[in-house]
Amino acid sequence: MLRSGADVAIVGAGLIGLATALELAQRGAQVRVFDRAEPARAASWAGAGMLAPYTERIEDRALLALCARSLDAYPAFVERVVHASGFDVELSLDGIVNAAFDDAKMLALREHAAELAAAGISADLLDRNATLAAQPALGRNVVGALVVRGEGYVDNRRLGRALAAACETSGVTIVRDAREVALECDARRALGVRSERGFTPASTVIVAAGAWSGSLPGLPEDCAPPVVPIKGQMLSLAIPRGFVRRTTWVPGAYLVPREDGRLLIGATAERVGFDERVTASGVRRLLDAALAAAPSLGDFSITETWAGLRPGSPDERPILGATPRAGLVLATGHYRNGILLTPVTATLLADFVATGDAAPLAAFSLARFGKDARVAARMNEV
Ligand code: GLY
């Protein structure tokens, strides 16, 4: 348990910032979260909410282990958020269908299935007929599929709303639409957060500002995480409920259904700086990929297009924990896995704030980039 009255200021009310705030508050800390807009309205809102560490085929063992731990933690995490907020959150873990449309992809899926079996992960290889039975929206030219059981999606927009409410009912103060947010540090440690509303002293300041984490005013250069924005464009269709039954990967896109009858189609991955425009070529790429795999989707209306910025790091691992200034802590760089990594990040960060033990976060520390993270930042730039 944290000592009573410990004060934590968090910059960034995305899923990572909010979940960390909730965890800390429920352990007894006084927590204040600052956001320049509404909570969970940037990358947390823009993602598809896929929970897919195995389908994403993460090669990095440390990252895969972290993602797998977070997937395991998801049901209990959502239950806690629902309990604290009174809001419903849509969580579906009924497997992800990774569909093959040629023999080379099918061979790769077979190899992946063997690797998963060796690691004790439940997955099923489906032939063409079984694939069409599992996902009838796919085109007749599908060859087969790999279904990883236990993966799925969370409705990230609903999770964001629920987390904000859970934080507030748990005593967290969320400062919305904050202007001129800046960190204050002295030569040794973090002092607090300043905004147009004044100065909030804090013994711990957590930077959870996603793609903006490296450029926050007041952030000492040697503490700046080397994150860059990686744009993801997405769109949604209005489909009959059940028309696409499960989250499905097809070449060049993924299809993620929602209970309300939307089908999310994502996502591009573009290094174009802080550009959040939806472009004709981005949407065309997604639609080409989706309709090549599932031509019957072509009849449905487009209901929304949008884009968000993932916080990319040089090695695609998140950047968690200590900086050279005492009390200044990072929770950023989650790249493609921010929504998936939310529960485990909150637990690890709250443990770190409580104990000061950096060892469990060593593989994800800023220190892994060496003395000068700025070099890593430059290498990671567009
Ligand atoms: N995790 C999927 C994406 O970032 O597009």
Side-chain angles (χ1 to χ4, degrees):
M1 285 292 288
L2 289 166
R3 75 192 154 77
S4 160
D7 54 335
V8 181
I10 300 179
V11 179
L15 295 182
I16 297 287
L18 291 173
T20 304
L22 180 64
E23 182 74 36
L24 286 162
Q26 290 187 337
R27 295 189 195 190
Q30 303 282 331
V31 188
R32 187 172 283 243
V33 186
F34 297 81
D35 201 285
R36 59 187 184 146
E38 277 297 299
R41 290 289 297 188
S44 303
W45 180 88
M50 248 187 325
L51 306 175
Y54 304 108
T55 298
E56 287 260 9
R57 206 140 191 201
I58 298 167
E59 305 279 349
D60 177 337
R61 278 169 184 269
L63 179 59
L64 178 60
L66 192 73
C67 289
R69 180 174 163 193
S70 209
L71 178 64
D72 289 345
Y74 237 98
F77 167 69
V78 166
E79 210 175 292
R80 273 176 62 202
V81 174
V82 168
H83 184 258
S85 66
F87 287 31
D88 198 18
V89 175
E90 184 181 332
L91 173 69
S92 170
L93 294 173
D94 59 355
I96 293 187
V97 178
N98 190 351
F101 288 81
D102 58 42
D103 293 341
K105 174 72 189 268
M106 198 61 215
L107 184 64
L109 291 183
R110 270 183 221 294
E111 286 168 6
H112 192 197
E115 283 168 28
L116 291 174
I121 309 301
S122 301
D124 305 302
L125 268 175
L126 306 185
D127 64 14
R128 178 174 177 279
N129 288 343
T131 302
L132 287 171
Q135 190 54 283
L138 290 171
R140 315 297 304 170
N141 55 340
V142 72
V143 175
L146 177 66
V147 180
V148 181
R149 294 194 215 159
E151 291 189 325
Y153 71 85
V154 65
D155 184 328
N156 41 301
R157 295 183 183 178
R158 286 168 74 173
L159 178 61
R161 286 193 287 270
L163 259 175
C167 279
E168 289 179 323
T169 59
S170 303
V172 174
T173 303
I174 301 177
V175 183
R176 296 166 160 80
D177 300 314
R179 297 280 159 256
E180 298 156 40
V181 175
L183 310 182
E184 287 207 7
C185 300
D186 67 16
R188 288 191 326 103
R189 59 165 307 111
L191 302 174
V193 173
R194 188 171 290 285
S195 76
E196 94 284 14
R197 294 170 216 197
F199 180 65
T200 300
S203 55
T204 301
V205 175
I206 300 179
V207 174
W212 292 266
S213 296
S215 51
L216 287 176
L219 184 64
E221 263 191 68
D222 59 347
C223 301
V227 290
V228 292
I230 314 278
K231 178 160 101 171
Q233 301 191 47
M234 300 209 32
L235 61 101
S236 64
L237 305 181
I239 60 167
R241 224 169 267 169
F243 191 84
V244 172
R245 291 191 192 147
R246 285 192 279 191
T247 301
T248 302
W249 275 48
V250 299
Y254 49 73
L255 317 174
V256 187
R258 292 284 192 255
E259 276 169 8
D260 63 8
R262 281 178 305 137
L263 179 70
L264 279 52
I265 301 177
T268 62
E270 303 164 70
R271 287 176 173 257
V272 289
F274 288 92
D275 166 5
E276 294 182 76
R277 290 173 309 125
V278 175
T279 62
S281 64
V283 170
R284 182 178 65 183
R285 242 184 295 157
L286 296 173
L287 283 174
D288 281 349
L291 297 185
S296 54
L297 294 177
D299 282 338
F300 300 120
S301 322
I302 296 175
T303 50
E304 190 184 351
T305 60
W306 67 96
L309 300 175
R310 308 174 185 87
S313 74
D315 55 8
E316 302 188 2
R317 290 185 186 180
I319 305 168
L320 307 176
T323 68
R325 305 287 156 113
L328 182 59
V329 175
L330 301 176
T332 188
H334 293 77
Y335 186 39
R336 292 180 67 89
N337 296 299
I339 294 163
L340 170 60
L341 287 171
T342 293
V344 77
T345 300
T347 304
L348 288 172
L349 263 284
D351 290 349
F352 176 65
V353 172
T355 65
D357 180 7
L361 295 174
F364 305 102
S365 67
L366 179 67
R368 75 184 185 271
F369 299 112
K371 273 204 158 111
D372 195 347
R374 279 169 295 163
V375 175
R378 278 198 294 276
M379 285 169 66
N380 200 22
E381 270 163 13
V382 178

